[in-house]
Amino acid sequence: MIQFDGEIPSKLSQIGLSIFAVMSKLANDHGALNLSQGFPNFPISEKLISRVNHFMQQGFNQYAPMPGIKPLREIISEKVFNSHQLRYDAEEEITITAGATQALYTAITAFIREGDEVIIFEPAYDSYAPAVKACGGMVKYASLASPDFKINWPLVRQMVTNSTRMIIINSPHNPTGSLLNANDLVELERLTRQTDILVLSDEVYEHLIFEGKTHESVCRYPELASRSLVVASFGKTFHATGWKVGYILAPARLTKEFRKLHQFIVFAVNTPIQYAIAEYLQDKENYEQLGSFYQKKRDIFLENIKNSRFKVVPSYGTYFQLLDYSEISDLPEMEFAKQLVVDHGIAAVPVAAFYNQQNNQRLLRFCFAKTDETLIKAGEILCRI
Ligand SMILES: Cc1ncc(COP(=O)(O)O)c(C=O)c1O
């Protein structure tokens, strides 16, 4: 091993390997069924693959323009208008990114300075807080209370100070599968009115929504949209998490600042994939059926665990299902998750991993973006526990 002997004042001293990597490795080591990490284990559209292939063969293999190729930005503008009746300008308000993670990181880096405060709702997706901390910002955590994981707005109001620079929201919500409703968005609009607070809205699961419920995008609230950056991911929408292509919508002044950083972080995103997605988005069928597709997956999973001792926490969106194991064990979540892998051959994620402080609600997150066969097998295992 090559040795570095100097000082390393870590920017993220508390951060180790992500829980998803830990659980996936454990699952591999024990040959367990892996319902921990959020990715589909079924093939993506042949048609989409063949269009990527086509554009590669046609020579679309060099740098794309920094904000993304124009046809993709134009069709996104159309799609968002059709869904939410808000028109984003393809030139100045839409930027293609290397997945949602890069969009989130760049947005946070563009606007958060030393001492700025950022409000994050816990349990929270794991990339928000480290990005804020790496910029010298301070994270203020607001808890979403189980069982329904709703936002306590009076509490959030008390957390806002003159240093609050950003509020990060996520709906449909990973890991809980809860949704923000119209009232939440109105509350947020009121709370931020006449402030300089920005809203970073992580909407990567926008199409994975069940039971005919509406995705309350910030784009539906023009006043809120005027202070918001909205993040989306084609990885989620087209079952292709490995492609790492997404986008961010924001008013021109915010987009201008975003792009100042974007051009030095990635500069540009995969060219042939952008062309293929621009074509694929022309057919709404390619994303409008996603809610019913995943609702069926969720229901197969639920049907197959209905005779187990796990209690179901309702999931209305995303491809995650929380299960409560309080009738089975008192173990802390991490211990119980390990036991599931080692003794029973199934991997899930402890919900405690989505909090900044230790806690034990005896909840595990299972990903149901899996073949029916995998979900049935998972059900058999969980019913034996
Ligand atoms: C809430 C949330 N935001 C962002 C991402 C990252 O998306 P991408 O793979 O496009 O970077 C994920 C992925 O799991 C997620 O669950």
Side-chain angles (χ1 to χ4, degrees), residues 278-291:
E279 260 193 27
Y280 200 64
L281 280 175
Q282 304 281 350
D283 184 356
K284 291 183 190 163
E285 265 292 294
N286 289 331
Y287 53 89
E288 280 184 344
Q289 39 62 40
L290 216 63

Side-chain angles (χ1 to χ4, degrees), residues 126-146:
D126 66 342
S127 85
Y128 311 147
V132 172
K133 289 176 188 165
C135 298
M138 260 194 40
V139 180
K140 288 193 140 181
Y141 295 98
S143 264
L144 301 171
S146 63

Side-chain angles (χ1 to χ4, degrees), residues 97-322:
T97 61
T101 313
Q102 183 248 312
L104 292 163
Y105 187 82
T106 307
I108 290 167
T109 314
F111 298 103
I112 301 306
R113 294 156 182 263
E114 189 86 31
D116 284 344
E117 292 175 4
V118 178
I119 296 177
I120 290 178
F121 298 96
E122 278 192 321
Y125 181 61
D126 66 342
S127 85
Y128 311 147
V132 172
K133 289 176 188 165
C135 298
M138 260 194 40
V139 180
K140 288 193 140 181
Y141 295 98
S143 264
L144 301 171
S146 63
D148 53 5
F149 297 100
K150 292 279 175 225
I151 294 180
N152 180 339
W153 287 107
L155 197 82
V156 179
R157 205 167 277 281
Q158 284 171 22
M159 292 170 70
V160 172
T161 71
N162 288 339
S163 302
T164 307
R165 185 73 187 112
M166 184 180 271
I167 298 177
I168 304 180
I169 58 172
N170 169 218
S171 181
H173 184 253
N174 176 8
T176 66
S178 64
L179 307 177
L180 294 180
N181 60 29
N183 183 53
D184 291 313
L185 280 280
V186 170
E187 285 282 355
L188 183 60
E189 196 165 65
R190 268 199 217 126
L191 177 69
T192 51
R193 189 167 287 154
Q194 286 169 355
T195 71
D196 292 328
I197 298 172
L198 301 177
V199 172
L200 180 54
S201 184
D202 180 343
E203 303 186 10
V204 299
Y205 298 104
E206 60 185 320
H207 296 295
L208 282 68
I209 198 154
F210 314 137
E211 296 165 19
K213 295 199 184 292
T214 308
H215 169 49
E216 291 293 342
S217 171
V218 296
C219 302
R220 291 178 168 234
Y221 299 80
E223 184 187 333
L224 199 51
S226 74
R227 60 172 74 253
S228 296
L229 300 114
V230 182
V231 173
S233 168
F234 293 119
K236 310 294 177 190
T237 302
F238 297 136
H239 313 304
T241 59
W243 285 10
K244 298 301 289 184
V245 180
Y247 62 89
I248 189 159
L249 311 170
R253 276 181 67 208
L254 299 183
T255 293
K256 195 169 162 201
E257 291 305 312
F258 178 91
R259 288 182 184 171
K260 285 182 189 172
L261 270 293
H262 177 76
Q263 67 184 328
F264 298 120
I265 294 177
V266 280
F267 173 57
V269 174
N270 189 305
T271 306
I273 289 181
Q274 288 194 59
Y275 278 101
I277 291 177
E279 260 193 27
Y280 200 64
L281 280 175
Q282 304 281 350
D283 184 356
K284 291 183 190 163
E285 265 292 294
N286 289 331
Y287 53 89
E288 280 184 344
Q289 39 62 40
L290 216 63
S292 61
F293 174 84
Y294 275 114
Q295 183 172 329
K296 275 194 208 117
K297 294 268 174 214
R298 179 199 66 174
D299 292 346
I300 289 172
F301 184 54
L302 293 183
E303 177 61 24
N304 280 276
I305 60 160
K306 74 170 191 255
N307 294 326
S308 77
R309 289 192 291 156
F310 288 90
K311 273 188 293 192
V312 171
V313 177
S315 168
Y316 300 107
T318 75
Y319 42 48
F320 300 116
Q321 175 65 60
L322 295 190

Side-chain angles (χ1 to χ4, degrees), residues 357-375:
Q357 284 183 335
Q358 292 272 329
N359 73 14
N360 185 23
Q361 301 176 85
R362 284 176 269 173
L363 291 175
L364 296 179
R365 189 199 76 175
F366 292 80
C367 172
F368 55 77
K370 306 293 167 193
T371 60
D372 295 357
E373 191 194 1
T374 306
L375 296 174

